[in-house]
Amino acid sequence: MAASGLDAKLSSVLGGRTATVLEKAFGLRTVADLLSHYPRRYARRGELTVLSQLPIDENVTIVAEVREVRERSMKARKGSIVEVKISDGLGYLTLTFFNQRWRADQLKPGMRGIFAGKVTDYRGSLQLAHPDYTLFGDDEDGPERPDRSAEEWAKKPIPIYPATASMASWQIQKSIEIALDGLGAVDDPVPDAVRRERRVIGFAAALDGIHRPERDADWRKAQDALRFQEAFVLQAALLQQRAQNRSAPAIPRVPAPGGYLERFEKHLPFTLTADQELVGDEIATDLARTAPMNRLVQGEVGSGKTLVALRAMLAVADSGGQAALLAPTEVLAAQHLRSIARVLGPDLSAQLMPVLITGQLPLAQRKRALLRAASGQARIVVGTHALLSDTVGFYDLGLVVIDEQHRFGVDQREALRQKGTAPHLLVLTATPIPRTVAMTVFGDLDISTIRELPAGRQGIESFVVPLVEHPSWVNRVWVRMSEEIAKGRQAFVVCPAIEPGATEPGASESGDGDAVPEASSGPPAPPANVLELTAELRRHPSLASARIEPLHGRMSSDEKDAVMRAFAAGDIDVIVATTVIEVGVDVPNASTMVVMDADRFGVSQLHQLRGRVGRGNVPGLCLLVTRSEDGSLARERVDAVAATLDGFELAQVDLELRREGDVLGSSQAGGRSQLRLLRVIRDGDVIEEARGLASEVLDADPALTEHPALAEAIARRLDESTRTFLAKA
Ligand code: ADP
Ligand code: MG
């Protein structure tokens, strides 16, 4: 057979049947895909798997020894059963085969092998359902091979692959062997010089070492090399993207003397914080360039990011251009428009004509807004994802601002950018991101950070209200809230659901499936849904005179808007809401945030929610009500949020408590979540080093003409992420 390359289809290398199974089970299509299906771990023939630690109801692959084989006739109907006990030397697991007498001839006590199947607990004894196995000595790799001692054979690592019921680990291993044997010369995406500097083995050797190691050192070296390669290709891709973003000629946007920006700043009722000044300068420098700005501004909730963005919009307006602000929800978009109009004051508003474009806008209003955007009359256009629609056009879009980035994917960012000629881009996020994560997720952006909060903030006190230990404390929550209202302040109560059993889409980002089980024993828990809790609070004796209103995603945007307006005007005391209020809602008089079933929310989400209070000069109070058990992971998250107000510290905790996939988030399309050996948390130093080396290579050879293998690896990545993206869409 002719040697095949990395891009060869698996069907041509393995045959259609196997290729189909591999694609169905793991999405593998090419030789490159298959060879990057790395072993999950390595077993040894000489080391049996500890059976007592096997997870029930999961597919496992284990090394064990056959101890006992019994064959008997079935009682109720015709046929036979072969029962095989396998052991790790301590415990036992039973394999059962119906009407397969020949198993008894194949499986003999004393034999060792790899067994796969789903672990079940049948009347107190462990079983392997749908068992499948391969016995040691079955292959030509047996202990009798003359060049190897029995000891070496026992120690040789056996790769154990992520497997499914349709494809056992050793079947995957066989396919990989075939692919490796047929593989022609592979070019290394990592240039020789870089590999020497980093002291990693070559690509071909690494593929061999990870899939068929002779000893542990082999796969360790291979993992090291492939992990570095992954970081290197990823950073090269991001840096190239970054260079591309900057290559289109942009119009410099410089504030005019005596222009909008200057007039705005003259009337600003407060002084900017030092960080706001600093970040403002960075942005002004970017805007004055002929290459488009690509900047992320991260800063605590309430640190004044929106204001920084508004100053950038005014600089663009001064140069005759328009700015678009993309917000994640209707409520937020409407609020942005209101607060922009407010801080601009009547004169500037009349001249800049900020408009709102959302999906739920009445037709006439929408038409008018579209016209103002297209004609260039509106210098500031605020909207939801409706802004991305083809019907929205601009006269001269000079700046795209994306608020709360984690709600939008890279592709959406790009879609909006297409509406101008190389507009400048500013992304705002209140979720602080550790440096190496930022390099991975936002590697094509420059990063500015606002750490300082405006002076005069009174701080927020946070408490966990643990209902498992203290069921009666929920009453104290409502009494405490009523005391705040009596002082003339306002409160939010956030629930994970709108009504019993109906969770708001996107309400829980904790994503680890350990949500609270339906109320167990003990006193009845308070309802944790908007509709029931609103009713209950309206009946509560200490809240008799409070004005309480619900707010959730099933209300029309007019209704939501009316509630938010009334709340901002002080005509509502308590809003009982889903996470529609999560981001950006700004009512300085709100002092109290109560979160029901707080453990259902992620760490950063809780931090965001808490940021809705303590924004003015009244101190904030945050009460995190939970039914999770002390010591559980769910409770740990809630405790962590109560323990600190530092968003950067929480981001770190969040990373440690979450799984990797959740960190990068599937919405960060661009496929950056499909990391294999690389872990953004653990491998920060690898990522930094790879970025440095990749940037040296790209500086010397921006088009990668000297490094075709790297260019191909980048293309392969992009292709794969497009596929993942399309599969999700
Ligand atoms: P973010 O978008 O970072 O959450 P905002 O820009 O919405 O923060 O600002 C939060 C509140 O603080 C707003 O009411 C804003 O007007 C106010 N604010 C912004 N900068 C300052 C400042 N330097 N001094 C006082 N108040 C400020
Ligand atoms: Mg904001």
Side-chain angles (χ1 to χ4, degrees):
M1 194 176 72
S4 56
L6 286 172
D7 295 315
K9 292 260 175 297
L10 287 178
S11 51
S12 70
V13 178
L14 302 171
R17 228 176 58 88
T18 308
T20 306
V21 179
L22 284 170
E23 173 158 12
K24 264 223 176 99
F26 309 105
L28 309 174
R29 285 190 195 175
T30 63
V31 168
D33 293 344
L34 178 63
L35 294 182
S36 57
H37 188 73
Y38 301 131
R40 189 203 300 284
R41 62 190 168 85
Y42 297 87
R44 254 161 288 278
R45 291 173 174 85
E47 263 170 41
L48 303 179
T49 312
V50 180
L51 296 182
S52 63
Q53 288 169 8
L54 291 180
I56 303 289
D57 285 335
E58 276 181 36
N59 279 304
V60 299
T61 305
I62 58 176
V63 176
E65 187 170 300
V66 177
R67 282 301 170 85
E68 201 182 294
V69 181
R70 287 200 317 174
E71 194 192 335
R72 58 182 171 82
S73 305
M74 275 190 275
K75 291 178 196 113
R77 47 200 171 104
K78 242 175 72 175
S80 71
I81 299 182
V82 174
E83 275 178 349
V84 179
K85 275 190 170 173
I86 59 172
S87 174
D88 61 352
L90 293 169
Y92 290 93
L93 222 150
T94 311
L95 324 180
T96 311
F97 301 95
F98 296 101
N99 292 327
Q100 296 175 15
R101 278 224 159 85
W102 52 274
R103 300 278 186 186
D105 299 327
Q106 199 177 56
L107 292 156
K108 297 285 182 198
M111 282 180 165
R112 286 183 173 197
I114 311 183
F115 299 83
K118 188 168 165 185
V119 183
T120 56
D121 185 352
Y122 182 71
R123 294 184 184 162
S125 77
L126 288 183
Q127 305 252 354
L128 211 54
H130 314 294
D132 202 353
Y133 55 86
T134 178
L135 295 169
F136 298 149
D138 269 5
D139 50 19
E140 69 287 4
D141 202 25
E144 56 284 342
R145 236 178 77 174
D147 58 334
R148 190 151 55 199
S149 71
E151 196 194 331
E152 271 176 47
W153 182 80
K155 274 195 191 152
K156 183 180 164 179
I158 309 163
I160 304 291
Y161 290 93
T164 66
S166 58
M167 213 0 90
S169 176
W170 54 88
Q171 290 166 313
I172 297 167
Q173 190 184 358
K174 285 236 161 72
S175 300
I176 286 178
E177 297 255 348
I178 294 170
L180 277 177
D181 288 341
L183 189 64
V186 293
D187 295 323
D188 207 317
V190 182
D192 289 349
V194 173
R195 227 173 43 233
R196 271 197 303 277
E197 172 151 2
R198 180 65 229 252
R199 273 184 240 142
V200 288
I201 60 173
F203 190 20
L207 285 176
D208 222 58
I210 203 158
H211 290 298
R212 34 188 186 197
E214 285 293 326
R215 53 190 71 78
D216 286 345
D218 294 343
W219 61 258
R220 292 220 168 87
K221 272 188 223 149
Q223 279 191 350
D224 189 45
L226 292 168
R227 181 178 299 123
F228 175 74
Q229 187 198 94
E230 204 175 313
F232 183 80
V233 172
L234 173 64
Q235 291 302 330
L238 289 167
L239 288 167
Q240 213 182 26
Q241 177 69 49
R242 187 186 140 97
Q244 246 157 42
N245 289 346
R246 281 162 179 69
S247 66
I251 303 172
R253 306 287 181 173
V254 186
Y260 300 121
L261 182 58
E262 220 179 278
R263 281 161 57 200
F264 171 73
E265 293 191 329
K266 229 181 249 155
H267 294 112
L268 205 59
F270 42 72
T271 47
L272 298 176
T273 64
D275 281 348
Q276 279 176 321
E277 291 273 12
L278 204 75
V279 173
D281 289 347
E282 288 173 332
I283 293 172
T285 310
D286 285 355
L287 288 176
R289 292 210 175 101
T290 51
M293 166 168 78
N294 283 279
R295 188 168 288 279
L296 173 80
V297 174
Q298 57 171 342
E300 284 290 343
V301 181
S303 61
K305 296 181 296 295
T306 313
L307 191 86
V308 166
L310 183 58
R311 292 178 69 219
M313 296 189 221
L314 294 176
V316 170
D318 268 343
S319 78
Q322 295 168 284
L325 169 59
L326 179 63
T329 64
E330 300 249 342
V331 169
L332 259 184
Q335 180 187 283
H336 268 311
L337 187 80
R338 271 200 306 277
S339 66
I340 285 174
R342 193 181 61 228
V343 293
L344 286 178
D347 286 354
L348 282 175
S349 285
Q351 287 167 29
L352 296 167
M353 223 176 262
V355 295
L356 184 69
I357 297 181
T358 69
Q360 293 185 24
L361 225 52
L363 194 65
Q365 213 176 321
R366 185 183 160 90
K367 273 198 170 142
R368 197 165 59 230
L370 288 176
L371 198 66
R372 289 190 169 162
S375 67
Q377 249 183 326
R379 299 303 187 80
I380 296 177
V381 179
V382 180
T384 53
H385 56 270
L387 278 184
L388 308 178
S389 146
D390 284 342
T391 58
V392 180
F394 294 85
Y395 179 71
D396 174 17
L397 180 60
L399 172 68
V400 168
V401 180
I402 299 189
D403 196 14
E404 311 298 351
Q405 160 76 13
H406 59 296
R407 294 288 180 93
F408 295 104
V410 173
D411 44 311
Q412 286 162 314
R413 194 210 277 172
E414 289 311 313
L416 190 48
R417 238 205 304 218
Q418 294 308 315
K419 295 183 184 287
T421 34
H424 298 279
L425 173 75
L426 192 60
V427 174
L428 310 177
T429 177
T431 313
I433 314 162
R435 190 178 143 72
T436 55
V437 179
M439 271 196 296
T440 309
V441 184
F442 300 115
D444 54 342
L445 302 177
D446 295 317
I447 296 177
S448 298
T449 304
I450 305 183
R451 284 176 186 276
E452 185 188 6
L453 292 180
R457 295 286 156 84
Q458 295 294 308
I460 307 170
E461 279 195 299
S462 309
F463 300 97
V464 177
V465 182
L467 294 186
V468 173
E469 292 105 297
H470 304 285
S472 67
W473 281 12
V474 71
N475 192 49
R476 290 205 215 169
V477 169
W478 308 133
V479 171
R480 187 72 188 75
M481 188 169 86
S482 72
E483 290 167 8
E484 287 293 311
I485 293 166
K487 287 187 222 164
R489 293 170 193 164
Q490 292 159 284
F492 295 105
V493 179
V494 174
C495 299
I498 300 177
E499 59 188 9
T503 304
E504 180 99 324
S508 169
E509 64 166 30
S510 66
D512 50 25
D514 62 353
V516 186
E518 282 317 307
S520 44
S521 54
N529 64 79
V530 173
L531 299 183
E532 287 185 342
L533 191 60
T534 305
E536 184 165 316
L537 293 183
R538 282 175 174 163
R539 286 194 300 267
H540 197 278
S542 60
L543 294 167
S545 59
R547 293 155 300 178
I548 303 173
E549 293 297 332
L551 180 71
H552 56 76
R554 283 221 305 264
M555 290 159 60
S556 75
S557 63
D558 277 352
E559 289 171 314
K560 281 187 287 195
D561 211 49
V563 170
M564 276 316 297
R565 263 178 215 266
F567 190 71
D571 295 336
I572 292 175
D573 300 304
V574 181
I575 283 188
V576 183
T578 52
T579 50
V580 290
I581 62 138
E582 178 192 345
V583 273
V585 167
D586 186 19
V587 178
N589 190 48
S591 70
T592 309
M593 168 64 65
V594 179
V595 185
M596 306 301 291
D597 279 352
D599 47 284
R600 293 218 190 174
F601 301 94
V603 169
S604 61
Q605 208 174 9
L606 288 174
H607 182 60
Q608 294 276 318
L609 286 170
R610 175 170 58 187
R612 301 301 115 222
V613 299
R615 292 171 76 82
N617 30 31
V618 295
L621 173 70
C622 175
L623 301 171
L624 304 169
V625 180
T626 176
R627 289 181 276 162
S628 59
E629 302 271 348
D630 192 15
S632 65
L633 194 65
R635 178 72 155 272
E636 225 177 296
R637 282 202 306 265
V638 181
D639 286 343
V641 175
T644 180
L645 285 173
D646 184 334
F648 283 89
E649 193 179 322
L650 283 175
Q652 198 60 43
V653 172
D654 200 14
L655 285 180
E656 281 154 21
L657 295 180
R658 275 155 171 257
R659 280 165 308 163
E660 195 84 8
D662 304 329
V663 174
L664 298 180
S666 54
S667 66
Q668 291 305 339
R672 285 159 203 183
S673 53
Q674 339 116 324
L675 299 179
R676 299 221 157 72
L677 294 167
L678 195 65
R679 295 292 170 264
V680 280
I681 308 158
R682 186 194 60 199
D683 300 323
D685 49 343
V686 181
I687 294 172
E688 295 235 22
E689 198 172 356
R691 188 170 178 92
L693 292 164
S695 114
E696 279 172 30
V697 170
L698 279 161
D699 281 350
D701 179 15
L704 296 176
T705 39
E706 307 281 309
H707 300 96
L710 177 55
E712 273 165 34
I714 291 173
R716 219 173 271 134
R717 251 199 84 77
L718 284 178
D719 179 48
E720 188 185 348
S721 53
T722 314
R723 263 160 38 196
T724 324
F725 177 67
L726 291 178
K728 265 191 226 113

